Amino acid sequence: MTATSDLGTAELASPDLLRSVFRRHAAGVAVITARGDAGPVGFTATSLTSVSAEPPMLSFGIGTGASSWPAMAGTDHVGVHILGEHQQELAATFARSGADRFGPPTAWREGPEGVPLLDDVLAWMVCRITARVPAGDHRIVLAEVLLGYPTGPGRPLLYHQGRFGGLRD
């Protein structure tokens, strides 16, 4: 077996090592939204995962120090939005601390269960939260998909090496 690197240069596990490794992992970009006590909240997520087909379930991670966490901790329903290549600025807005995420130019409407639904996305789902699993400084949120819209136009937005981008042909 051939090693791809010198084991002598391997690093011990740390937050920086984890971030460095996952910068090399291209991930789709989603925005998770919920209705909070003071209005809509949301954040950009690259940790979205399909969990189960029957029943349809997904998961995402959120830091307990995130500004959206109190609303996510207290709500029963969330919106999950798959972003397109044309939505790099929207992804950056929802990733930026202190940003007015739902002010102009963000286009959205109230959907089922009061969930904020973003306009012009590749796909969206309204989900019912079934569990919040402690995982270090994060929570893994498990949610059952209740309804969705899978046919928005465009190609997916990706996150890689600390930047948003698209697929190459």
Side-chain angles (χ1 to χ4, degrees):
M1 173 161 48
T2 304
T4 58
S5 63
D6 180 3
L7 292 179
T9 61
E11 297 177 30
L12 291 176
S14 70
D16 286 340
L17 173 65
L18 189 68
R19 283 190 282 273
S20 292
V21 169
F22 274 90
R23 276 189 201 103
R24 296 180 174 277
H25 174 70
V29 181
V31 168
I32 312 296
T33 61
R35 180 177 54 192
D37 290 339
V41 299
F43 64 98
T44 300
T46 56
S47 61
L48 181 66
T49 305
S50 172
V51 172
S52 169
E54 191 57 46
M57 294 185 76
L58 57 82
S59 71
F60 60 89
I62 180 172
T64 56
S67 61
S68 296
W69 170 243
M72 293 291 164
T75 192
D76 292 330
H77 295 87
V78 294
V80 177
H81 308 82
I82 307 301
L83 300 190
E85 287 177 327
H86 63 287
Q87 295 178 304
Q88 290 185 28
E89 187 53 42
L90 182 68
T93 296
F94 276 83
R96 197 169 25 254
S97 180
D100 181 3
R101 296 172 178 159
F102 289 90
T106 302
W108 65 282
R109 65 198 178 284
E110 186 173 307
E113 304 296 339
V115 171
L117 292 178
L118 302 175
D119 291 346
D120 200 29
V121 295
L122 296 187
W124 59 260
M125 296 171 282
V126 173
C127 305
R128 182 180 56 81
I129 294 177
T130 59
R132 295 170 185 85
V133 181
D137 61 356
H138 278 61
R139 294 296 180 269
I140 305 302
V141 178
L142 295 169
E144 183 176 359
V145 178
L146 302 178
L147 68 135
Y149 177 77
T151 56
R155 294 163 50 110
L157 181 62
L158 300 178
Y159 187 73
H160 181 252
Q161 294 285 20
R163 295 188 332 227
F164 296 112
L167 296 170
R168 292 187 200 156
D169 288 325

